Amino acid sequence: HLGVVEDPEMRRIVAHFILQFLARVGTEIPNLRRSVVHNDANDLNVLVGESAAIGVIDFGDAVRTCTVFNLAIAAAYAVFDAEDPVATLCDLVAGYNESFPLEERELAVVFPALCMRLCVTFVLAAADAAERPDNNEYILVSQRPARAMLRTFWAIDPSEVHDRLRTACGFE
């Protein structure tokens, strides 16, 4: 669906992140822990109580895949509109790691998998908008922040993000 992205700069950015995902994550997939994951943890699917998340809804995207992808998907939505998206990512990953310790190889794929989720969100929204222009308001609700985050992460060195994630999780 990359062809539906009209903006040449965004096509280049998405293509870049696809290549990064294939290079950094694709080869690791056989080595990552697997489980059934929700696969769409976002602010529309998480039920929040007075001070904590109390549940999730919409299990239509649940699938058996790499466990860490669930974290990466949730993180992709958590960084939307964050003042400091890398700090937000580090906080989320550190909290996740406290409850479910990550392996080093899993930690290494969090950022490229998060970027891939942003790409999927952005490109599928563009494809849906082209097919159903009457429903653009709903379809594009996640595309705008995904575009902004992709541009932000395009300008950040992924090894710096990985180092900050390692520090946040207590790895040397």
Side-chain angles (χ1 to χ4, degrees):
H1 294 291
L2 190 54
V4 301
V5 178
E6 294 178 8
D7 179 344
E9 177 192 26
M10 286 308 298
R11 256 195 325 274
R12 278 192 307 278
I13 290 171
V14 170
H16 165 80
F17 284 121
I18 290 170
L19 292 174
Q20 290 297 308
F21 180 85
L22 293 172
R24 296 179 179 192
V25 181
T27 57
E28 279 299 320
I29 287 175
N31 303 317
L32 300 172
R33 292 182 287 184
R34 301 179 76 76
S35 63
V36 174
V37 301
H38 182 271
N39 212 37
D40 196 20
N42 65 64
D43 56 339
L44 300 176
N45 292 338
V46 176
L47 303 175
V48 179
E50 288 184 31
S51 62
I54 57 172
V56 293
I57 59 172
D58 187 4
F59 291 90
D61 293 324
V63 65
R64 181 171 170 77
T65 189
C66 302
T67 306
V68 70
F69 290 169
N70 212 39
L71 170 60
I73 290 166
Y77 293 103
V79 299
F80 278 3
D81 302 320
E83 189 173 314
D84 184 344
V86 176
T88 299
L89 173 62
C90 288
D91 289 345
L92 179 69
V93 172
Y96 183 95
N97 186 62
E98 283 180 25
S99 297
F100 186 82
L102 293 162
E103 297 175 351
E104 288 199 45
R105 63 174 45 117
E106 291 171 321
L107 191 59
V109 304
V110 168
F111 184 63
L114 175 161
C115 292
M116 188 76 248
R117 177 54 175 226
L118 292 172
C119 290
V120 168
T121 297
F122 180 77
V123 172
L124 289 183
D128 283 349
E131 290 177 18
R132 297 181 290 167
D134 58 319
N135 197 22
N136 278 356
E137 185 177 335
Y138 174 75
I139 290 169
L140 299 178
V141 71
S142 294
Q143 190 189 41
R144 288 181 196 96
R147 174 194 300 265
M149 283 296 95
L150 286 167
R151 283 188 169 138
T152 297
F153 290 148
W154 166 260
I156 296 174
D157 180 355
S159 62
E160 177 187 326
V161 176
H162 182 239
D163 289 346
R164 287 181 63 184
L165 289 172
R166 288 180 57 79
T167 300
C169 292
F171 289 105
E172 292 182 13

